[in-house]
Amino acid sequence: MEIIKIFFDKILKLPEEEWLAFKEIIVKKKLPANHYMLHEGEVCDFIAFIEYGLFRFFHNKAGTEFITAFFFDNEFLSNYRSFLTGQPSKHAIVSLKDASIYIIKKEKLNQLYDNYPLIDRLGRLMAERLYLGVANRLDSFIYATPEERYLELLNRNSKLLSELPQYMVASYLGISAESLSRIRKRISQT
Amino acid sequence: MEIIKIFFDKILKLPEEEWLAFKEIIVKKKLPANHYMLHEGEVCDFIAFIEYGLFRFFHNKAGTEFITAFFFDNEFLSNYRSFLTGQPSKHAIVSLKDASIYIIKKEKLNQLYDNYPLIDRLGRLMAERLYLGVANRLDSFIYATPEERYLELLNRNSKLLSELPQYMVASYLGISAESLSRIRKRISQT
């Protein structure tokens, strides 16, 4: 449980009693590659934290995968909109390699929110972080060029980025595989 | 204060003591048209609730306004990212017509979070709502056609939409004024 404690301590250092109650509902799970954490049409009933692994978040439109996010080590993993609204997810979440994650189920989290005000506060801080993540993605989609968006991925996790199939990175950037090659070449020369 | 109470009651019905403390920090303000609620480069230190009015949220890039959101009656108004991070805003928020809003300052809200667990919970529920707003905008930018995005605006507030200058709506949709005219004609014929 050490990694998960370090992660949450950075968000809010819970007193011993609250941490023990919180730890109680966290389930560690190892996953193989190509494991569906969530299918399109399912309701997302979890927030997870990625110890290690690599996930893609995508929507199928007429047989084409539109990848809108990748999730790397030390990041949250959820379709948080579906989690909050209880509506079916329009996106699937799939592991791209072996992974280890910590899962928190919505129902149990809500019970803790009712019993421990400080865990409710932790929930606020998680919601705020998740807000920042999606707001940054929105900005990036609107303002950034594909090259700038590629550099953002590179900054987040260059090692894992190198393990991603090129066609997935191209899908995320909304460009062709050829354009991505040109961007990679340009960057490697600078 | 009635409208603001009705609005917040829908999010979380606070007990009398908490509501009185919360009400205490809410400041009602009337604004003229073309009033800058926030300039680019300023830190956003408020969340506001719009009783009535119409606001645009935009970024200037090389002299061109990129409008990424409109805010209508009964909606939250903030650069919530700047509010959360304390970083300067990359967007400005400007009123398009006379408005009446309720303003909550960050510093005072944080004090209440510390003193009233239920107001902390209200903060979580606000963060969750704001998350859903930005997640919907992201989806709309990625998946929806300009026509679908126009229909979304129409659904949110058709009356206020009709008061917006066409070039601003076109900027929000990322299309030319001519394309917007064609979309409006098509919709009016169906």
Side-chain angles (χ1 to χ4, degrees), chain A residues 4 9 12 14 19 27 37 49 52 55 65 70 73 82-83 91 99 103-106 123 155 161 176:
Chain A
I4 187 81
D9 275 0
L12 177 66
L14 292 173
W19 172 251
V27 177
M37 281 295 294
F49 164 75
Y52 60 81
F55 294 82
E65 259 189 28
F70 295 110
D73 297 357
S82 171
F83 177 89
H91 298 82
I103 300 175
I104 299 165
K105 290 278 189 173
K106 178 175 177 170
N155 273 335
L161 181 58
S176 67

Side-chain angles (χ1 to χ4, degrees), chain A residues 59 61 68 80-81 84 91 113-114 120-121 124 128 130-132 134 136 138-139 141-143, chain B residues 59 61 68 80-81 84 91 113-114 120-121 124 128 130-132 134 136 138-139 141-143:
Chain A
H59 170 67
K61 198 170 179 175
T68 53
Y80 191 52
R81 171 165 33 184
L84 292 177
H91 298 82
Y113 284 164
D114 285 337
D120 208 345
R121 164 167 293 193
R124 170 169 65 79
E128 291 175 355
L130 287 158
Y131 176 92
L132 293 175
V134 71
N136 286 336
L138 175 61
D139 257 25
F141 268 99
I142 299 178
Y143 302 117
Chain B
H59 171 67
K61 199 169 179 176
T68 53
Y80 191 53
R81 171 167 30 188
L84 292 177
H91 297 83
Y113 284 164
D114 285 337
D120 207 346
R121 165 167 294 193
R124 170 169 64 79
E128 292 175 355
L130 288 158
Y131 176 92
L132 293 175
V134 71
N136 286 336
L138 175 60
D139 256 26
F141 267 100
I142 299 177
Y143 302 118

Side-chain angles (χ1 to χ4, degrees), chain A residues 7-179:
Chain A
F7 177 74
F8 279 107
D9 275 0
K10 279 187 207 152
I11 302 177
L12 177 66
K13 214 167 159 31
L14 292 173
E16 186 70 7
E17 185 193 344
E18 278 82 355
W19 172 251
L20 289 176
F22 188 54
K23 203 171 91 167
E24 196 70 21
I25 69 163
I26 301 173
V27 177
K28 187 171 181 173
K29 205 168 165 182
K30 302 225 174 202
L31 306 170
N34 299 314
H35 177 85
Y36 273 75
M37 281 295 294
L38 187 70
H39 287 89
E40 280 190 56
E42 278 180 349
V43 174
C44 180
D45 67 351
F46 66 88
I47 298 178
F49 164 75
I50 305 169
E51 181 183 5
Y52 60 81
L54 176 54
F55 294 82
R56 76 183 190 284
F57 184 88
F58 65 94
H59 170 67
N60 248 296
K61 198 170 179 175
T64 305
E65 259 189 28
F66 287 81
I67 296 176
T68 53
F70 295 110
F71 297 104
F72 301 123
D73 297 357
N74 294 308
E75 296 186 343
F76 279 118
L77 181 71
S78 176
N79 180 338
Y80 191 52
R81 171 165 33 184
S82 171
F83 177 89
L84 292 177
T85 61
Q87 298 291 310
S89 173
K90 291 183 210 154
H91 298 82
I93 302 177
V94 180
S95 62
L96 284 153
K97 54 183 285 188
D98 289 353
S100 169
I101 62 173
Y102 294 91
I103 300 175
I104 299 165
K105 290 278 189 173
K106 178 175 177 170
E107 197 191 333
K108 293 190 173 171
L109 184 60
N110 278 335
Q111 285 166 6
L112 293 191
Y113 284 164
D114 285 337
N115 295 328
Y116 300 95
L118 280 175
I119 296 178
D120 208 345
R121 164 167 293 193
L122 179 66
R124 170 169 65 79
L125 298 170
M126 285 196 286
E128 291 175 355
R129 283 204 170 206
L130 287 158
Y131 176 92
L132 293 175
V134 71
N136 286 336
R137 279 210 295 285
L138 175 61
D139 257 25
S140 156
F141 268 99
I142 299 178
Y143 302 117
T145 62
E147 181 156 340
E148 286 165 345
R149 300 185 61 223
Y150 183 79
L151 288 169
E152 283 167 11
L153 277 185
L154 208 57
N155 273 335
R156 262 170 75 207
N157 199 319
S158 58
K159 189 182 154 300
L160 287 175
L161 181 58
S162 70
E163 297 181 29
L164 280 172
Q166 292 312 298
Y167 76 93
M168 288 189 188
V169 179
S171 162
Y172 173 79
L173 300 176
I175 59 177
S176 67
E178 293 71 33
S179 302

Side-chain angles (χ1 to χ4, degrees), chain B residues 7-21:
Chain B
F7 178 74
F8 279 108
D9 275 0
K10 279 188 207 152
I11 302 177
L12 178 66
K13 213 168 159 32
L14 292 173
E16 186 70 7
E17 184 191 345
E18 278 80 356
W19 173 251
L20 289 175

